[in-house]
mmCIF file of all heavy atoms in Angstrom:
data_model
loop_
_atom_site.group_PDB
_atom_site.id
_atom_site.type_symbol
_atom_site.label_atom_id
_atom_site.label_comp_id
_atom_site.label_asym_id
_atom_site.label_seq_id
_atom_site.Cartn_x
_atom_site.Cartn_y
_atom_site.Cartn_z
ATOM 1 N N ARG A 1 -0.363 -8.631 -6.579
ATOM 2 C CA ARG A 1 -1.420 -9.612 -6.821
ATOM 3 C C ARG A 1 -2.623 -9.251 -5.942
ATOM 4 O O ARG A 1 -2.681 -9.636 -4.772
ATOM 5 C CB ARG A 1 -0.916 -11.017 -6.496
ATOM 6 C CG ARG A 1 0.299 -11.420 -7.349
ATOM 7 C CD ARG A 1 0.879 -12.739 -6.924
ATOM 8 N NE ARG A 1 1.324 -12.682 -5.525
ATOM 9 C CZ ARG A 1 1.852 -13.695 -4.860
ATOM 10 N NH1 ARG A 1 2.018 -14.862 -5.449
ATOM 11 N NH2 ARG A 1 2.227 -13.554 -3.609
ATOM 12 N N PRO A 2 -3.580 -8.489 -6.516
ATOM 13 C CA PRO A 2 -4.755 -8.082 -5.735
ATOM 14 C C PRO A 2 -5.468 -9.281 -5.110
ATOM 15 O O PRO A 2 -5.658 -10.315 -5.747
ATOM 16 C CB PRO A 2 -5.639 -7.380 -6.764
ATOM 17 C CG PRO A 2 -4.674 -6.871 -7.786
ATOM 18 C CD PRO A 2 -3.605 -7.943 -7.871
ATOM 19 N N GLY A 3 -5.829 -9.103 -3.837
ATOM 20 C CA GLY A 3 -6.538 -10.139 -3.118
ATOM 21 C C GLY A 3 -5.633 -11.219 -2.534
ATOM 22 O O GLY A 3 -6.088 -12.048 -1.758
ATOM 23 N N ILE A 4 -4.371 -11.221 -2.913
ATOM 24 C CA ILE A 4 -3.429 -12.246 -2.446
ATOM 25 C C ILE A 4 -2.336 -11.642 -1.566
ATOM 26 O O ILE A 4 -2.041 -12.144 -0.491
ATOM 27 C CB ILE A 4 -2.776 -12.980 -3.643
ATOM 28 C CG1 ILE A 4 -3.845 -13.695 -4.461
ATOM 29 C CG2 ILE A 4 -1.699 -13.949 -3.166
ATOM 30 C CD1 ILE A 4 -3.343 -14.250 -5.770
ATOM 31 N N ASP A 5 -1.751 -10.553 -2.051
ATOM 32 C CA ASP A 5 -0.590 -9.975 -1.379
ATOM 33 C C ASP A 5 -0.943 -9.023 -0.254
ATOM 34 O O ASP A 5 -1.762 -8.120 -0.430
ATOM 35 C CB ASP A 5 0.262 -9.170 -2.376
ATOM 36 C CG ASP A 5 0.958 -10.035 -3.395
ATOM 37 O OD1 ASP A 5 1.225 -11.213 -3.096
ATOM 38 O OD2 ASP A 5 1.248 -9.527 -4.504
ATOM 39 N N GLY A 6 -0.292 -9.212 0.883
ATOM 40 C CA GLY A 6 -0.139 -8.152 1.859
ATOM 41 C C GLY A 6 1.104 -7.405 1.418
ATOM 42 O O GLY A 6 2.020 -8.006 0.849
ATOM 43 N N VAL A 7 1.158 -6.100 1.633
ATOM 44 C CA VAL A 7 2.293 -5.320 1.156
ATOM 45 C C VAL A 7 2.868 -4.504 2.305
ATOM 46 O O VAL A 7 2.122 -3.889 3.078
ATOM 47 C CB VAL A 7 1.878 -4.400 -0.011
ATOM 48 C CG1 VAL A 7 3.068 -3.607 -0.529
ATOM 49 C CG2 VAL A 7 1.258 -5.214 -1.148
ATOM 50 N N TYR A 8 4.192 -4.513 2.387
ATOM 51 C CA TYR A 8 4.925 -3.754 3.398
ATOM 52 C C TYR A 8 5.781 -2.740 2.661
ATOM 53 O O TYR A 8 6.510 -3.087 1.734
ATOM 54 C CB TYR A 8 5.794 -4.698 4.230
ATOM 55 C CG TYR A 8 6.567 -4.026 5.327
ATOM 56 C CD1 TYR A 8 5.926 -3.463 6.418
ATOM 57 C CD2 TYR A 8 7.954 -3.966 5.282
ATOM 58 C CE1 TYR A 8 6.640 -2.854 7.438
ATOM 59 C CE2 TYR A 8 8.684 -3.370 6.299
ATOM 60 C CZ TYR A 8 8.014 -2.808 7.373
ATOM 61 O OH TYR A 8 8.733 -2.211 8.378
ATOM 62 N N LEU A 9 5.692 -1.476 3.057
ATOM 63 C CA LEU A 9 6.426 -0.378 2.442
ATOM 64 C C LEU A 9 7.413 0.188 3.437
ATOM 65 O O LEU A 9 7.069 0.377 4.610
ATOM 66 C CB LEU A 9 5.429 0.695 2.006
ATOM 67 C CG LEU A 9 5.977 1.985 1.407
ATOM 68 C CD1 LEU A 9 4.997 2.522 0.384
ATOM 69 C CD2 LEU A 9 6.274 3.035 2.451
ATOM 70 N N GLN A 10 8.628 0.480 2.960
ATOM 71 C CA GLN A 10 9.651 1.127 3.787
ATOM 72 C C GLN A 10 10.318 2.224 2.969
ATOM 73 O O GLN A 10 10.664 2.012 1.805
ATOM 74 C CB GLN A 10 10.742 0.138 4.197
ATOM 75 C CG GLN A 10 10.319 -0.920 5.161
ATOM 76 C CD GLN A 10 11.465 -1.885 5.404
ATOM 77 O OE1 GLN A 10 11.770 -2.716 4.560
ATOM 78 N NE2 GLN A 10 12.099 -1.774 6.567
ATOM 79 N N PHE A 11 10.480 3.365 3.604
ATOM 80 C CA PHE A 11 11.270 4.439 3.003
ATOM 81 C C PHE A 11 11.828 5.280 4.140
ATOM 82 O O PHE A 11 11.071 5.854 4.923
ATOM 83 C CB PHE A 11 10.447 5.313 2.060
ATOM 84 C CG PHE A 11 11.257 6.433 1.474
ATOM 85 C CD1 PHE A 11 12.201 6.190 0.497
ATOM 86 C CD2 PHE A 11 11.113 7.729 1.945
ATOM 87 C CE1 PHE A 11 12.983 7.203 -0.017
ATOM 88 C CE2 PHE A 11 11.881 8.762 1.439
ATOM 89 C CZ PHE A 11 12.822 8.498 0.449
ATOM 90 N N GLY A 12 13.156 5.346 4.231
ATOM 91 C CA GLY A 12 13.764 6.071 5.347
ATOM 92 C C GLY A 12 13.246 5.490 6.651
ATOM 93 O O GLY A 12 13.230 4.281 6.848
ATOM 94 N N GLY A 13 12.755 6.335 7.531
ATOM 95 C CA GLY A 13 12.198 5.883 8.797
ATOM 96 C C GLY A 13 10.709 5.590 8.736
ATOM 97 O O GLY A 13 10.106 5.233 9.740
ATOM 98 N N ALA A 14 10.103 5.735 7.560
ATOM 99 C CA ALA A 14 8.659 5.519 7.409
ATOM 100 C C ALA A 14 8.378 4.096 6.947
ATOM 101 O O ALA A 14 9.135 3.518 6.165
ATOM 102 C CB ALA A 14 8.090 6.505 6.397
ATOM 103 N N SER A 15 7.297 3.528 7.459
ATOM 104 C CA SER A 15 6.872 2.204 7.002
ATOM 105 C C SER A 15 5.373 2.072 7.204
ATOM 106 O O SER A 15 4.766 2.789 8.012
ATOM 107 C CB SER A 15 7.613 1.097 7.751
ATOM 108 O OG SER A 15 7.243 1.086 9.113
ATOM 109 N N SER A 16 4.786 1.162 6.459
ATOM 110 C CA SER A 16 3.365 0.849 6.623
ATOM 111 C C SER A 16 3.102 -0.501 5.979
ATOM 112 O O SER A 16 3.907 -0.997 5.184
ATOM 113 C CB SER A 16 2.481 1.926 5.980
ATOM 114 O OG SER A 16 2.714 2.001 4.588
ATOM 115 N N THR A 17 1.981 -1.084 6.328
ATOM 116 C CA THR A 17 1.581 -2.345 5.713
ATOM 117 C C THR A 17 0.070 -2.385 5.564
ATOM 118 O O THR A 17 -0.660 -1.752 6.333
ATOM 119 C CB THR A 17 2.080 -3.563 6.524
ATOM 120 O OG1 THR A 17 1.932 -4.739 5.730
ATOM 121 C CG2 THR A 17 1.340 -3.731 7.838
ATOM 122 N N PHE A 18 -0.363 -3.114 4.562
ATOM 123 C CA PHE A 18 -1.771 -3.466 4.391
ATOM 124 C C PHE A 18 -1.832 -4.983 4.279
ATOM 125 O O PHE A 18 -1.093 -5.590 3.490
ATOM 126 C CB PHE A 18 -2.368 -2.876 3.113
ATOM 127 C CG PHE A 18 -2.813 -1.444 3.207
ATOM 128 C CD1 PHE A 18 -2.831 -0.666 2.059
ATOM 129 C CD2 PHE A 18 -3.234 -0.872 4.394
ATOM 130 C CE1 PHE A 18 -3.266 0.656 2.097
ATOM 131 C CE2 PHE A 18 -3.660 0.448 4.455
ATOM 132 C CZ PHE A 18 -3.678 1.208 3.297
ATOM 133 N N LEU A 19 -2.704 -5.599 5.063
ATOM 134 C CA LEU A 19 -2.970 -7.022 4.942
ATOM 135 C C LEU A 19 -3.676 -7.286 3.614
ATOM 136 O O LEU A 19 -4.295 -6.377 3.046
ATOM 137 C CB LEU A 19 -3.860 -7.485 6.099
ATOM 138 C CG LEU A 19 -3.275 -7.396 7.502
ATOM 139 C CD1 LEU A 19 -4.344 -7.670 8.543
ATOM 140 C CD2 LEU A 19 -2.104 -8.336 7.662
ATOM 141 N N PRO A 20 -3.646 -8.516 3.116
ATOM 142 C CA PRO A 20 -4.348 -8.820 1.872
ATOM 143 C C PRO A 20 -5.849 -8.493 1.931
ATOM 144 O O PRO A 20 -6.448 -8.168 0.904
ATOM 145 C CB PRO A 20 -4.139 -10.325 1.694
ATOM 146 C CG PRO A 20 -2.934 -10.654 2.490
ATOM 147 C CD PRO A 20 -2.899 -9.665 3.620
ATOM 148 N N GLN A 21 -6.432 -8.521 3.122
ATOM 149 C CA GLN A 21 -7.854 -8.225 3.265
ATOM 150 C C GLN A 21 -8.200 -6.801 2.831
ATOM 151 O O GLN A 21 -9.340 -6.503 2.494
ATOM 152 C CB GLN A 21 -8.294 -8.427 4.723
ATOM 153 C CG GLN A 21 -8.182 -9.850 5.231
ATOM 154 C CD GLN A 21 -6.835 -10.206 5.844
ATOM 155 O OE1 GLN A 21 -5.789 -10.014 5.228
ATOM 156 N NE2 GLN A 21 -6.843 -10.780 7.045
ATOM 157 N N VAL A 22 -7.225 -5.890 2.825
ATOM 158 C CA VAL A 22 -7.469 -4.496 2.453
ATOM 159 C C VAL A 22 -7.853 -4.382 0.976
ATOM 160 O O VAL A 22 -8.536 -3.443 0.568
ATOM 161 C CB VAL A 22 -6.259 -3.608 2.809
ATOM 162 C CG1 VAL A 22 -6.423 -2.181 2.321
ATOM 163 C CG2 VAL A 22 -6.040 -3.619 4.324
ATOM 164 N N TRP A 23 -7.460 -5.367 0.162
ATOM 165 C CA TRP A 23 -7.862 -5.349 -1.245
ATOM 166 C C TRP A 23 -9.384 -5.330 -1.398
ATOM 167 O O TRP A 23 -9.901 -4.846 -2.413
ATOM 168 C CB TRP A 23 -7.290 -6.568 -1.985
ATOM 169 C CG TRP A 23 -5.820 -6.516 -2.220
ATOM 170 C CD1 TRP A 23 -4.855 -7.214 -1.543
ATOM 171 C CD2 TRP A 23 -5.120 -5.745 -3.202
ATOM 172 N NE1 TRP A 23 -3.601 -6.923 -2.035
ATOM 173 C CE2 TRP A 23 -3.742 -6.019 -3.064
ATOM 174 C CE3 TRP A 23 -5.527 -4.842 -4.179
ATOM 175 C CZ2 TRP A 23 -2.772 -5.445 -3.865
ATOM 176 C CZ3 TRP A 23 -4.553 -4.266 -4.986
ATOM 177 C CH2 TRP A 23 -3.199 -4.565 -4.832
ATOM 178 N N GLU A 24 -10.114 -5.854 -0.404
ATOM 179 C CA GLU A 24 -11.584 -5.852 -0.480
ATOM 180 C C GLU A 24 -12.138 -4.437 -0.560
ATOM 181 O O GLU A 24 -13.131 -4.189 -1.225
ATOM 182 C CB GLU A 24 -12.170 -6.585 0.730
ATOM 183 C CG GLU A 24 -11.839 -8.062 0.749
ATOM 184 C CD GLU A 24 -12.179 -8.739 2.063
ATOM 185 O OE1 GLU A 24 -12.932 -8.156 2.887
ATOM 186 O OE2 GLU A 24 -11.680 -9.861 2.282
ATOM 187 N N SER A 25 -11.488 -3.487 0.124
ATOM 188 C CA SER A 25 -11.965 -2.102 0.086
ATOM 189 C C SER A 25 -11.156 -1.227 -0.870
ATOM 190 O O SER A 25 -11.598 -0.138 -1.228
ATOM 191 C CB SER A 25 -11.966 -1.490 1.491
ATOM 192 O OG SER A 25 -10.677 -1.539 2.046
ATOM 193 N N LEU A 26 -9.975 -1.689 -1.289
ATOM 194 C CA LEU A 26 -9.126 -0.946 -2.236
ATOM 195 C C LEU A 26 -8.682 -1.899 -3.353
ATOM 196 O O LEU A 26 -7.521 -2.295 -3.421
ATOM 197 C CB LEU A 26 -7.894 -0.372 -1.527
ATOM 198 C CG LEU A 26 -8.125 0.631 -0.403
ATOM 199 C CD1 LEU A 26 -6.820 0.925 0.332
ATOM 200 C CD2 LEU A 26 -8.730 1.906 -0.954
ATOM 201 N N PRO A 27 -9.592 -2.290 -4.258
ATOM 202 C CA PRO A 27 -9.269 -3.329 -5.244
ATOM 203 C C PRO A 27 -8.340 -2.883 -6.381
ATOM 204 O O PRO A 27 -7.755 -3.723 -7.054
ATOM 205 C CB PRO A 27 -10.631 -3.740 -5.790
ATOM 206 C CG PRO A 27 -11.508 -2.561 -5.568
ATOM 207 C CD PRO A 27 -11.003 -1.898 -4.310
ATOM 208 N N ASP A 28 -8.210 -1.582 -6.600
ATOM 209 C CA ASP A 28 -7.362 -1.075 -7.674
ATOM 210 C C ASP A 28 -5.917 -0.972 -7.175
ATOM 211 O O ASP A 28 -5.652 -0.294 -6.168
ATOM 212 C CB ASP A 28 -7.861 0.294 -8.123
ATOM 213 C CG ASP A 28 -6.920 0.944 -9.114
ATOM 214 O OD1 ASP A 28 -6.744 0.385 -10.212
ATOM 215 O OD2 ASP A 28 -6.354 2.013 -8.780
ATOM 216 N N PRO A 29 -4.950 -1.626 -7.844
ATOM 217 C CA PRO A 29 -3.565 -1.592 -7.367
ATOM 218 C C PRO A 29 -2.996 -0.177 -7.191
ATOM 219 O O PRO A 29 -2.277 0.077 -6.216
ATOM 220 C CB PRO A 29 -2.792 -2.375 -8.435
ATOM 221 C CG PRO A 29 -3.808 -3.326 -8.980
ATOM 222 C CD PRO A 29 -5.097 -2.541 -8.989
ATOM 223 N N ALA A 30 -3.308 0.747 -8.095
ATOM 224 C CA ALA A 30 -2.777 2.116 -7.967
ATOM 225 C C ALA A 30 -3.332 2.795 -6.721
ATOM 226 O O ALA A 30 -2.595 3.464 -5.985
ATOM 227 C CB ALA A 30 -3.098 2.923 -9.222
ATOM 228 N N THR A 31 -4.601 2.609 -6.445
ATOM 229 C CA THR A 31 -5.216 3.198 -5.249
ATOM 230 C C THR A 31 -4.668 2.526 -3.993
ATOM 231 O O THR A 31 -4.366 3.192 -2.998
ATOM 232 C CB THR A 31 -6.751 3.065 -5.309
ATOM 233 O OG1 THR A 31 -7.215 3.656 -6.528
ATOM 234 C CG2 THR A 31 -7.411 3.728 -4.123
ATOM 235 N N PHE A 32 -4.541 1.212 -4.028
ATOM 236 C CA PHE A 32 -3.996 0.442 -2.901
ATOM 237 C C PHE A 32 -2.608 0.975 -2.537
ATOM 238 O O PHE A 32 -2.334 1.280 -1.371
ATOM 239 C CB PHE A 32 -3.936 -1.032 -3.313
ATOM 240 C CG PHE A 32 -3.472 -1.984 -2.250
ATOM 241 C CD1 PHE A 32 -4.383 -2.665 -1.463
ATOM 242 C CD2 PHE A 32 -2.116 -2.249 -2.052
ATOM 243 C CE1 PHE A 32 -3.971 -3.573 -0.491
ATOM 244 C CE2 PHE A 32 -1.686 -3.144 -1.092
ATOM 245 C CZ PHE A 32 -2.616 -3.815 -0.316
ATOM 246 N N LEU A 33 -1.747 1.123 -3.547
ATOM 247 C CA LEU A 33 -0.382 1.582 -3.300
ATOM 248 C C LEU A 33 -0.352 3.033 -2.827
ATOM 249 O O LEU A 33 0.397 3.379 -1.910
ATOM 250 C CB LEU A 33 0.476 1.400 -4.556
ATOM 251 C CG LEU A 33 1.966 1.640 -4.396
ATOM 252 C CD1 LEU A 33 2.569 0.805 -3.272
ATOM 253 C CD2 LEU A 33 2.677 1.346 -5.718
ATOM 254 N N ALA A 34 -1.200 3.884 -3.404
ATOM 255 C CA ALA A 34 -1.259 5.293 -2.985
ATOM 256 C C ALA A 34 -1.681 5.395 -1.520
ATOM 257 O O ALA A 34 -1.103 6.172 -0.744
ATOM 258 C CB ALA A 34 -2.216 6.080 -3.883
ATOM 259 N N GLU A 35 -2.667 4.614 -1.115
ATOM 260 C CA GLU A 35 -3.133 4.646 0.282
ATOM 261 C C GLU A 35 -2.088 4.060 1.227
ATOM 262 O O GLU A 35 -1.949 4.521 2.358
ATOM 263 C CB GLU A 35 -4.466 3.914 0.423
ATOM 264 C CG GLU A 35 -5.629 4.634 -0.236
ATOM 265 C CD GLU A 35 -5.824 6.055 0.272
ATOM 266 O OE1 GLU A 35 -5.773 6.276 1.511
ATOM 267 O OE2 GLU A 35 -6.033 6.961 -0.560
ATOM 268 N N LEU A 36 -1.343 3.063 0.771
ATOM 269 C CA LEU A 36 -0.267 2.503 1.586
ATOM 270 C C LEU A 36 0.809 3.554 1.832
ATOM 271 O O LEU A 36 1.329 3.680 2.945
ATOM 272 C CB LEU A 36 0.320 1.270 0.898
ATOM 273 C CG LEU A 36 1.409 0.516 1.654
ATOM 274 C CD1 LEU A 36 0.870 -0.062 2.963
ATOM 275 C CD2 LEU A 36 1.972 -0.596 0.772
ATOM 276 N N LYS A 37 1.120 4.337 0.808
ATOM 277 C CA LYS A 37 2.097 5.426 0.964
ATOM 278 C C LYS A 37 1.566 6.478 1.928
ATOM 279 O O LYS A 37 2.297 6.954 2.807
ATOM 280 C CB LYS A 37 2.414 6.049 -0.396
ATOM 281 C CG LYS A 37 3.253 5.141 -1.287
ATOM 282 C CD LYS A 37 3.649 5.852 -2.551
ATOM 283 C CE LYS A 37 2.875 5.311 -3.723
ATOM 284 N NZ LYS A 37 3.238 5.970 -4.993
ATOM 285 N N ARG A 38 0.295 6.833 1.795
ATOM 286 C CA ARG A 38 -0.296 7.824 2.717
ATOM 287 C C ARG A 38 -0.257 7.319 4.154
ATOM 288 O O ARG A 38 0.000 8.088 5.079
ATOM 289 C CB ARG A 38 -1.730 8.148 2.291
ATOM 290 C CG ARG A 38 -1.812 9.034 1.087
ATOM 291 C CD ARG A 38 -3.256 9.469 0.791
ATOM 292 N NE ARG A 38 -3.319 10.144 -0.478
ATOM 293 C CZ ARG A 38 -3.684 9.574 -1.629
ATOM 294 N NH1 ARG A 38 -4.045 8.294 -1.657
ATOM 295 N NH2 ARG A 38 -3.698 10.258 -2.751
ATOM 296 N N LYS A 39 -0.522 6.045 4.335
ATOM 297 C CA LYS A 39 -0.481 5.462 5.681
ATOM 298 C C LYS A 39 0.908 5.614 6.296
ATOM 299 O O LYS A 39 1.041 5.785 7.512
ATOM 300 C CB LYS A 39 -0.885 3.984 5.623
ATOM 301 C CG LYS A 39 -0.962 3.315 6.979
ATOM 302 C CD LYS A 39 -1.405 1.865 6.858
ATOM 303 C CE LYS A 39 -1.443 1.212 8.234
ATOM 304 N NZ LYS A 39 -1.739 -0.223 8.140
ATOM 305 N N ALA A 40 1.949 5.582 5.457
ATOM 306 C CA ALA A 40 3.330 5.753 5.930
ATOM 307 C C ALA A 40 3.698 7.222 6.104
ATOM 308 O O ALA A 40 4.822 7.539 6.481
ATOM 309 C CB ALA A 40 4.299 5.093 4.950
ATOM 310 N N GLY A 41 2.755 8.131 5.796
ATOM 311 C CA GLY A 41 3.022 9.559 5.939
ATOM 312 C C GLY A 41 3.642 10.185 4.700
ATOM 313 O O GLY A 41 4.160 11.301 4.757
ATOM 314 N N LEU A 42 3.571 9.486 3.592
ATOM 315 C CA LEU A 42 4.124 9.972 2.328
ATOM 316 C C LEU A 42 2.985 10.409 1.403
ATOM 317 O O LEU A 42 1.863 9.911 1.529
ATOM 318 C CB LEU A 42 4.925 8.856 1.641
ATOM 319 C CG LEU A 42 6.062 8.235 2.450
ATOM 320 C CD1 LEU A 42 6.573 6.968 1.781
ATOM 321 C CD2 LEU A 42 7.187 9.252 2.624
ATOM 322 N N PRO A 43 3.258 11.289 0.455
ATOM 323 C CA PRO A 43 2.220 11.630 -0.528
ATOM 324 C C PRO A 43 1.855 10.391 -1.354
ATOM 325 O O PRO A 43 2.711 9.545 -1.640
ATOM 326 C CB PRO A 43 2.880 12.693 -1.410
ATOM 327 C CG PRO A 43 4.036 13.214 -0.618
ATOM 328 C CD PRO A 43 4.476 12.073 0.275
ATOM 329 N N GLY A 44 0.599 10.296 -1.759
ATOM 330 C CA GLY A 44 0.134 9.156 -2.547
ATOM 331 C C GLY A 44 0.838 9.011 -3.878
ATOM 332 O O GLY A 44 0.927 7.909 -4.431
ATOM 333 N N THR A 45 1.370 10.101 -4.411
ATOM 334 C CA THR A 45 2.061 10.065 -5.705
ATOM 335 C C THR A 45 3.570 9.887 -5.561
ATOM 336 O O THR A 45 4.283 9.843 -6.555
ATOM 337 C CB THR A 45 1.794 11.371 -6.483
ATOM 338 O OG1 THR A 45 2.233 12.476 -5.681
ATOM 339 C CG2 THR A 45 0.318 11.512 -6.823
ATOM 340 N N PHE A 46 4.057 9.748 -4.340
ATOM 341 C CA PHE A 46 5.496 9.667 -4.058
ATOM 342 C C PHE A 46 6.113 8.398 -4.649
ATOM 343 O O PHE A 46 5.535 7.320 -4.579
ATOM 344 C CB PHE A 46 5.710 9.684 -2.538
ATOM 345 C CG PHE A 46 7.148 9.574 -2.126
ATOM 346 C CD1 PHE A 46 7.960 10.693 -2.110
ATOM 347 C CD2 PHE A 46 7.691 8.354 -1.762
ATOM 348 C CE1 PHE A 46 9.296 10.607 -1.722
ATOM 349 C CE2 PHE A 46 9.018 8.249 -1.382
ATOM 350 C CZ PHE A 46 9.822 9.379 -1.366
ATOM 351 N N TRP A 47 7.303 8.546 -5.223
ATOM 352 C CA TRP A 47 8.140 7.393 -5.563
ATOM 353 C C TRP A 47 9.593 7.826 -5.460
ATOM 354 O O TRP A 47 9.939 8.957 -5.785
ATOM 355 C CB TRP A 47 7.875 6.848 -6.964
ATOM 356 C CG TRP A 47 8.619 5.540 -7.138
ATOM 357 C CD1 TRP A 47 9.852 5.384 -7.681
ATOM 358 C CD2 TRP A 47 8.204 4.258 -6.701
ATOM 359 N NE1 TRP A 47 10.245 4.064 -7.597
ATOM 360 C CE2 TRP A 47 9.232 3.342 -7.000
ATOM 361 C CE3 TRP A 47 7.058 3.778 -6.061
ATOM 362 C CZ2 TRP A 47 9.161 1.995 -6.708
ATOM 363 C CZ3 TRP A 47 6.981 2.432 -5.782
ATOM 364 C CH2 TRP A 47 8.020 1.548 -6.100
#
């Protein structure tokens, strides 16, 4: 839910989070999720 959700990502020993305020600069969900993965040290296309 853009603009509403903060998101926390976990994979193995990697984790990252974006507060809901980050949607202001990353409004597209695909871009938001890709950058969250990069923040955790994962490739943006990783799943």
Side-chain angles (χ1 to χ4, degrees):
R1 300 174 300 179
I4 298 171
D5 291 333
V7 181
Y8 181 67
L9 176 148
Q10 291 176 285
F11 179 73
S15 67
S16 62
T17 193
F18 278 153
L19 295 171
Q21 296 89 307
V22 175
W23 288 104
E24 294 169 15
S25 58
L26 298 171
D28 173 63
T31 305
F32 183 95
L33 189 54
E35 291 303 315
L36 183 63
K37 288 186 253 181
R38 285 187 189 98
K39 184 178 179 186
L42 303 168
T45 58
F46 179 82
W47 189 266

